Amino acid sequence: MIAKRVIFEGRVQGVGFRYTVKDLARGFDVCGTVKNLADGSVELEAMGEPDEVEDFIREILEESPVAHGIKNHHVESIPPLDGHTGFRIEK
């Protein structure tokens, strides 16, 4: 299992970004959270098998309906997410 944190920048708030990411997560064996940040970016934390996490992030960046609004993103490895099951939007 791996866990990644991704910060998405660009036109990512007020466009259904978090809901799109949550919907996409259903197609992958991942768990985690997505939330808006005060600076206008969106934070994703996802955990799963390496291929599932990487494919999930790639789907968001390249093929999702919100991909065109992403101007920049930063990916970092983080410790496994304790107690997470499923995928949810955090406020």
Side-chain angles (χ1 to χ4, degrees):
M1 291 286 229
I2 66 164
K4 299 278 185 176
R5 175 180 294 123
V6 185
I7 304 296
F8 298 98
E9 298 170 337
R11 189 162 182 236
V12 294
Q13 288 192 16
V15 295
F17 192 94
R18 294 173 300 156
Y19 298 95
T20 299
V21 169
K22 183 180 178 190
D23 190 49
L24 288 173
R26 289 187 217 153
F28 297 90
D29 189 14
V30 296
C31 63
T33 61
V34 61
K35 68 180 178 181
N36 286 341
L37 299 179
D39 66 0
S41 63
V42 172
E43 177 188 76
L44 165 72
E45 290 186 345
M47 182 175 73
E49 294 302 321
D51 287 348
E52 289 291 308
V53 173
E54 296 298 332
D55 289 347
F56 176 47
I57 294 168
R58 187 175 308 109
E59 178 84 11
I60 296 166
L61 290 169
E62 297 175 5
E63 298 180 29
S64 73
V66 294
H68 66 279
I70 301 168
K71 301 300 179 209
N72 199 7
H73 71 283
H74 309 278
V75 181
E76 66 177 316
S77 295
I78 59 173
L81 308 171
D82 289 333
H84 276 326
T85 58
F87 196 90
R88 68 181 185 273
I89 295 171
E90 286 190 346
K91 301 289 181 189

